[in-house]
Amino acid sequence: MIESNMKRTTMISKRWVFRQVIVFLPFYLFTFLPLNARVTLPKFFDHNMVLQQQSECNIWGKTDTKKDVIIITSWDHEEYVAKADSKGDFKVKVRTPKAGGPYSIAISDGSEMLELNNIMIGEVWICSGQSNMEMQMKGFKAQPVEGTTEELMHCQDSLLRLFTVKRHASLSPEWDVTGQWNEANSACVRDFSATAYYFGRALRQALNVPVGLIVTSWGGSACEAWMKADWLKAFPKVNQQVTEDDVKKLQQRCPTALYNGQLKPLVGYGMRGAVWYQGEDNVPRYDYYAPLLKTMVEGWRADWQQGDFPFYYCQIAPYDYSLINWQDSQLLREQQMKAEGMITNARMAVLMDAGLEYGIHPRKKREAGERLALLALSNTYGVKGLPDFAVYKEVTFQNDTAVISFDRSKEWVYFEHGPKSKNFEVAGEDRVFHPAEAWVSRNRVYVKSNEVPHPVAVRYAWRDWVEGDLMHDGLPVSSFRTDNWEPTPTTVSQSEGDYNNPK
């Protein structure tokens, strides 16, 4: 009993001292604290980080086995206590207030102390995908991002915080990543994802709160690489016999490798939602992409345990895939369009007007980022009056003319470059498509061809490379078809070229 009382008294004494430290934190931290604390945290729990506002945010780390860890947050001086398990792992939830800062967090295992400074409370988003998410503001070699020079001159914003996860493929789940938080300025924005930056900048301007972006991406990565092995069992076409040699050879295309190396360490970090720009690598395997993406999103949500958090994604932009011996990417775009109706609380940003015929990395990253932000502002933050992406609804046939209608089309649809479009084609019972004349009346598109007196199917922008011109309220409409005919079998290459992995 005496020994137990002594331990309790010692613990209370340490907590009292710890609380006094919090009161005088700015002076104490820079004067008396040891530089190296025994408590170890993942890299994303660090100075300059952003925590999700008005929520319970997880903080976890490692210390000595069975030790008590005390965490005190400067915004409310609340004390949280966690006991490390037999492996030294600890985890605690801290309550966050409305957006604000800067704040500090002090963490002690009873003998040494760790302190995190310049913490903001605001909105946090995970940004993932392949090269078009990874593509930095400075661009790739001979592949620039439009508007970078002007943006870098005006990008400084201490309330926009950026974290990039370094590339790492792994056969088994990792605990930590490599990276660091930075305040937005020309130096760090230059090396940050352009799509993610424009997304975060738009949120900052619209919401006027701190925004934190964590980018975890890898050029050329397959959707399968961002998923757990258990989730992939539903897809027999995916090779699940993965070895260390496979990871070294395939890296970003190896199933589960990027989930283990770049996503699993982040799971549980408090955030609002996720944005995704991926699909190019899955063009040759388009046929099961919609259920694959649905399974991935549901798996992420189950792991994060934050309910059906928002998931917004970019449809891949038009590009001449014959340049890499692939084709029919419109079938992957169609799968992405289908996924929108299959996944709860998910929406797709259309980029039919923002592609590049000879480059798989479009320059118009501002359009990609801001359209993702448009979806978030409308659907997550409830901002009223913003435009929406119209989507194909149905077709009716009136003699020789097809009449197409749309959902989510409160305003009229129109063609970007004039009163007519050359991106439509129609087919009769013979299933042979012919170029068609198309015109608009209110929110209907009328399509006909003299070669097809009795049309039964219509297609819009149904090819790899096309300049999408069907618009609604300033936003493009996805390519679509009214038929469900099986595509003509084609031979495509699944080589491991570096088209999506520039040095």
Side-chain angles (χ1 to χ4, degrees):
M1 178 66 73
I2 294 175
E3 182 179 350
S4 176
N5 287 337
M6 289 179 63
K7 287 182 178 179
R8 186 178 298 110
T9 301
T10 301
M11 189 63 183
I12 292 172
S13 176
K14 288 178 178 178
R15 291 182 182 178
W16 183 87
V17 171
F18 195 41
R19 281 188 174 278
Q20 305 314 302
V21 169
I22 291 295
V23 173
F24 301 102
L25 196 57
F27 171 78
Y28 183 90
L29 288 169
F30 294 104
T31 309
F32 298 108
L33 273 184
L35 294 178
N36 297 310
R38 183 170 299 170
V39 172
T40 301
L41 303 174
K43 299 295 190 305
F44 40 84
F45 293 123
D46 204 352
H47 309 297
N48 305 320
M49 70 177 176
V50 180
L51 294 179
Q52 180 61 41
Q53 66 170 324
Q54 296 178 291
S55 63
E56 290 190 334
C57 292
N58 296 309
I59 294 179
W60 63 88
K62 295 179 180 293
T63 187
D64 292 339
T65 300
K66 300 295 185 181
K67 269 205 168 184
D68 286 310
V69 178
I70 306 170
I71 298 175
I72 295 183
T73 51
S74 72
W75 54 83
D76 58 6
H77 303 294
E78 187 70 27
E79 177 187 296
Y80 303 86
V81 180
K83 181 177 285 292
D85 63 18
S86 59
K87 296 180 180 180
D89 294 316
F90 69 88
K91 187 175 184 179
V92 67
K93 291 181 181 291
V94 302
R95 290 180 292 276
T96 57
K98 290 183 180 180
Y103 297 111
S104 297
I105 296 177
I107 305 173
S108 174
D109 62 1
S111 58
E112 295 181 354
M113 189 181 300
L114 176 66
E115 184 269 342
L116 308 179
N117 280 318
N118 197 24
I119 297 169
M120 303 304 298
I121 307 295
E123 293 296 302
V124 179
W125 288 80
I126 304 295
C127 311
S128 188
Q130 59 181 107
S131 57
N132 277 308
M133 178 60 79
E134 183 183 46
M135 191 176 189
Q136 302 158 317
M137 284 290 288
K138 66 183 179 184
F140 295 140
K141 289 183 178 179
Q143 300 175 78
V145 170
E146 189 176 278
T148 290
T149 300
E150 180 181 1
E151 192 61 39
L152 291 180
M153 291 190 293
H154 305 96
C155 66
Q156 185 162 336
D157 185 351
S158 64
L159 300 185
L160 177 59
R161 306 292 177 84
L162 314 174
F163 187 103
T164 300
V165 174
K166 186 177 180 180
R167 291 176 171 184
H168 179 59
S170 176
L171 183 62
S172 57
E174 298 285 358
W175 183 79
D176 201 359
V177 298
T178 300
Q180 69 176 41
W181 285 100
N182 291 295
E183 297 180 359
N185 57 51
S186 57
C188 72
V189 168
R190 178 179 173 82
D191 292 324
F192 192 71
S193 160
T195 296
Y197 167 75
Y198 281 116
F199 169 76
R201 189 194 69 163
L203 294 188
R204 276 280 301 120
Q205 293 175 346
L207 302 175
N208 196 29
V209 299
V211 171
L213 305 174
I214 299 177
V215 171
T216 179
S217 59
W218 191 330
S221 61
C223 183
E224 297 90 333
W226 298 97
M227 301 172 66
K228 275 185 180 178
D230 285 348
W231 308 343
L232 291 171
K233 290 178 181 178
F235 304 94
K237 292 184 179 181
V238 179
N239 179 17
Q240 286 276 59
Q241 305 301 315
V242 178
T243 66
E244 288 284 2
D245 286 340
D246 293 328
V247 174
K248 292 177 182 178
K249 180 182 178 181
L250 299 175
Q251 293 185 302
Q252 75 273 31
R253 290 186 172 93
C254 185
T256 77
L258 301 189
Y259 175 89
N260 292 329
Q262 291 186 213
L263 191 76
K264 180 61 173 70
L266 302 171
V267 169
Y269 190 96
M271 50 80 163
R272 178 65 68 188
V275 292
W276 173 256
Y277 193 163
Q278 191 277 339
E280 296 89 347
D281 187 76
N282 284 78
V283 165
R285 307 181 302 284
Y286 72 87
D287 56 313
Y288 59 92
Y289 188 82
L292 186 73
L293 186 64
K294 178 178 185 288
T295 301
M296 187 199 79
V297 174
E298 291 175 347
W300 286 16
R301 287 170 171 171
D303 277 5
W304 242 278
Q305 297 182 12
Q306 283 191 206
D308 292 338
F309 60 73
F311 183 85
Y312 304 120
Y313 61 100
C314 287
Q315 186 182 50
I316 61 171
Y319 158 68
D320 183 1
Y321 277 82
S322 69
L323 296 174
I324 56 172
N325 299 317
W326 292 0
Q327 59 185 8
D328 295 335
S329 59
Q330 68 271 21
L331 293 168
L332 192 283
R333 296 198 300 262
E334 180 181 55
Q335 286 283 307
Q336 291 179 310
M337 186 167 61
K338 289 180 177 179
E340 187 180 47
M342 297 168 59
I343 306 171
T344 303
N345 199 17
R347 288 291 307 274
M348 182 181 75
V350 180
L351 300 176
M352 291 300 297
D353 60 337
L356 186 64
E357 182 177 6
Y358 57 86
I360 201 168
H361 304 121
R363 298 172 179 177
K364 296 181 180 296
K365 291 298 184 286
R366 178 172 179 172
E367 284 81 349
E370 290 187 349
R371 287 173 187 175
L372 289 170
L374 177 69
L375 294 173
L377 291 170
S378 296
N379 298 278
T380 298
Y381 298 107
V383 177
K384 304 299 182 183
L386 297 176
D388 201 357
F389 294 93
V391 62
Y392 163 72
K393 180 182 179 181
E394 62 183 4
V395 62
T396 59
F397 297 98
Q398 300 174 0
N399 299 319
D400 63 349
T401 303
V403 183
I404 300 167
S405 59
F406 303 87
D407 279 332
R408 304 200 299 250
S409 56
K410 295 180 181 180
E411 309 295 335
W412 289 14
V413 294
Y414 63 95
F415 298 130
E416 181 70 6
H417 304 299
K420 296 183 179 181
S421 171
K422 297 181 179 180
N423 285 329
F424 286 83
E425 51 189 348
V426 296
E429 293 291 350
D430 61 0
R431 299 190 177 188
V432 176
F433 281 89
H434 298 268
E437 180 183 5
W439 67 96
V440 170
S441 178
R442 295 184 181 272
N443 63 347
R444 299 285 192 275
V445 174
Y446 293 79
V447 186
K448 66 176 293 186
S449 170
N450 292 333
E451 303 295 322
V452 186
H454 302 291
V456 298
V458 181
R459 292 179 175 180
Y460 162 69
W462 199 252
R463 52 190 180 272
D464 286 318
W465 164 247
V466 60
E467 292 185 73
D469 61 353
L470 178 58
M471 309 290 286
H472 167 257
D473 211 3
L475 299 173
V477 177
S478 171
S479 53
F480 63 84
R481 58 175 174 161
T482 67
D483 65 274
N484 60 358
W485 302 335
E486 287 295 320
T488 303
T490 56
T491 300
V492 296
S493 167
Q494 298 193 43
S495 64
E496 296 165 22
D498 64 354
Y499 76 90
N500 234 351
N501 189 23
K503 303 301 181 185

